Amino acid sequence: MATSGILLVLFLFAHMTGNLKIFVGAEAFDHYAAWLREIGSPLLPHQWYLWIQRGGLTIAVLAHIAAATILARRARAARPVRYAHRPKVQGSYAARTMRWGGVIILLFVVFHILDLTAGTVNPVGDPHHPYANVVADFAPSRWYVTLFYTLAVVAVGFHLRHGIFSALRTLGQRTPRGERNARSVALVLAVVLVAGYLSVPFAVLTGLVS
Ligand code: HEM
C-alpha cells in the first residue's frame, strides 16, 4: 500500500509542478508537453518514456487497489463477529473516506484522460496545443467542469492526507511524537498539492490565464 502510494504521490507532485508552467505562457506550457514525449531521447524513441511511465502508473494503481482489498479482507477476518455497537466516529474524516475517495479519484482520472490527454470530451482537444485545451476546458461558461475538477482535487487532498500519514507510520513513525510529525507533514503536503492543482482552473476561470 505504502510503496505504490509513494510512487503515485511522486507522480502527483511532478504533474502539479508541470501544470504550474501554464503561468509562464502558452509557448512554455506546450513546449513542456512536447518535451514529455522526448524524455530519454536519443536513447529512447519518441514517446517511449511516456509509455513506460503510463505502464508504471497503471501497475502502481492496480497494486494499490489490490493491497487495499487484501488489507480490508484481513481486517474483516480479524473480527468475524460484527460489533453489536459500532461507535459512529472512528478516526478522521480523511481516514473514513479512503475507499469511496479512491473510487471517485479513479473515475476522475478516466474522465481526465478523455479530457486532456485523448481530447475526446474537450472543446479543443488538440494534442499539440495542451495550453489551448486547458484554457477551453475551464472557461467561465464551463463552470461545471471546474466544479468537478475542484471536487476531485479536494478528494485527492483528503486521500493524501490520510495516505501520507499512514505511509509514514508504516515506515516507522509510530511513537506519539512521530505520529504528530507525520500528521503535520501529511497535512502540509496535501494542502500544497490541492492549492497547486486548483490554481490552474481558477486562474483560467478568473481570466488570469487566457
Ligand atoms: C486541475 C488540475 C489538473 C490539470 C490542469 C491537469 C492537466 C493535465 C494535462 C494538460 C494533461 C495532458 C498532458 C499531456 O498530454 O501533455 C494531463 C494528463 C494527466 N493527468 Fe492531469 N491535471 C490535473 C489534475 C490531475 C490529477 C488530480 C490527477 C491524478 C489524480 C491527474 C492525472 C493525470 C494523468 C494520469 C494524466 C495522463 C498522463 C499521460 O498522458 O500519461 N491530473 N493533466
Side-chain angles (χ1 to χ4, degrees), residues 11-12 15 19 29 33 36-37 50 53-54 57 105 108-109 112-113 116-117 130 134 138 149 153 156 197-198 200-201:
F11 165 77
L12 279 173
H15 185 29
N19 283 353
F29 192 69
L36 284 177
R37 282 142 181 91
L50 202 59
Q53 179 178 290
R54 285 169 179 165
L57 284 175
I105 295 164
F108 161 75
V109 170
H112 182 50
I113 288 175
L116 287 171
T117 301
V134 171
F138 303 118
Y149 268 76
V153 168
V156 171
Y197 272 117
L198 289 188
V200 175

Side-chain angles (χ1 to χ4, degrees), residues 38-113:
E38 298 305 331
I39 297 177
S41 168
L43 181 64
L44 295 177
H46 179 68
Q47 287 214 3
W48 269 47
Y49 165 79
L50 202 59
W51 279 107
I52 292 169
Q53 179 178 290
R54 285 169 179 165
L57 284 175
T58 308
I59 292 170
V61 169
L62 293 177
H64 207 62
I65 296 171
T69 314
I70 292 167
L71 284 177
R73 270 205 205 130
R74 219 182 272 168
R76 221 173 305 136
R79 174 78 209 191
V81 181
R82 282 179 167 254
Y83 287 104
H85 256 299
R86 211 169 165 183
K88 264 217 164 105
V89 180
Q90 339 150 28
S92 67
Y93 180 77
R96 283 180 287 120
T97 50
M98 288 312 270
R99 214 171 295 169
W100 281 109
V103 173
I104 291 169
I105 295 164
L106 197 62
L107 292 176
F108 161 75
V109 170
V110 172
F111 172 81
H112 182 50
I113 288 175

